[in-house]
Amino acid sequence: MKADKLRATQVLSALAVTLSLLFVGLEIRQNTSAMRGATMQAISDASSELLTEMGTDERLASLLADVFFNGATRADFEPGEWIQLAAYSQAFVRQLENTYLQNQEGIVSDAVFDTYTWGDPFLRTAFFAEWWELLAADLVGPAFKVFLESRVEFDSLR
């Protein structure tokens, strides 16, 4: 009789531990899903901020128009204009690199990541190619540098 009670207690204990582990697993899954959603929202917010800045800052919009429509490069800008465009470029690249790193950590899915701005026209400008060549090695990690260079054919832009 005592052995039966001991066995029943062990079974109940094992069941309680199993249920606790299942609960923890569900909590981790929900937390992971919430983290992925928050990360995607943060990426979207950062993109919106850049677009808002580009659309509301007349000077930046004018400089970017020269880059997009006239093929302007560093030589076409005053030092202050170059700095503004370089800062915009750095913010843009930081956002791309963050998305890349989030993908490498499994937080941002390949499906989302592969559709995310890699075809952006700004990446395909002579200005960006020149900026990238001058500063990229000091601003981004080596894996992201290789990754972006495999997606954008900078040599064809120069």
Side-chain angles (χ1 to χ4, degrees):
M1 196 65 150
K2 197 173 185 181
D4 288 339
K5 282 185 179 182
L6 181 60
R7 186 170 304 173
T9 302
Q10 289 174 339
V11 168
L12 287 175
S13 294
L15 183 60
V17 168
T18 301
L19 289 175
S20 295
L21 290 174
L22 286 173
F23 177 75
V24 169
L26 288 173
E27 287 294 313
I28 290 172
R29 177 180 265 171
Q30 287 177 344
N31 186 40
T32 300
S33 179
M35 183 180 63
R36 283 189 175 131
T39 299
M40 285 307 303
Q41 185 62 50
I43 289 169
S44 178
D45 290 348
S47 179
S48 293
E49 286 178 31
L50 282 174
L51 290 171
T52 298
E53 180 182 3
M54 185 172 64
T56 58
D57 181 330
E58 285 186 41
R59 182 175 181 204
L60 179 59
S62 176
L63 297 174
L64 287 169
D66 282 342
V67 167
F68 283 112
F69 302 120
N70 301 327
T73 61
R74 182 179 185 181
D76 298 311
F77 297 108
E78 297 295 323
E81 294 171 329
W82 162 253
I83 288 171
Q84 188 170 13
L85 283 167
Y88 176 83
S89 300
Q90 185 172 349
F92 183 80
V93 166
R94 287 280 182 227
Q95 181 183 353
L96 297 178
E97 185 176 26
N98 178 52
T99 304
Y100 169 80
L101 293 171
Q102 297 294 340
N103 175 261
Q104 296 302 296
E105 292 296 322
I107 296 168
V108 175
S109 74
D110 289 341
V112 171
F113 182 67
D114 285 341
T115 62
Y116 181 73
T117 67
W118 304 116
D120 191 288
F122 186 61
L123 293 172
R124 301 198 183 326
T125 63
F127 172 87
F128 186 82
E130 179 184 38
W131 176 86
W132 181 259
E133 186 175 308
L134 287 170
L135 300 172
D138 297 327
L139 296 177
V140 299
F144 177 71
K145 186 175 186 292
V146 169
F147 172 81
L148 187 64
E149 289 175 352
S150 74
R151 296 224 172 201
V152 179
E153 296 176 19
F154 290 112
D155 291 334
S156 67
L157 300 171
R158 293 185 188 102

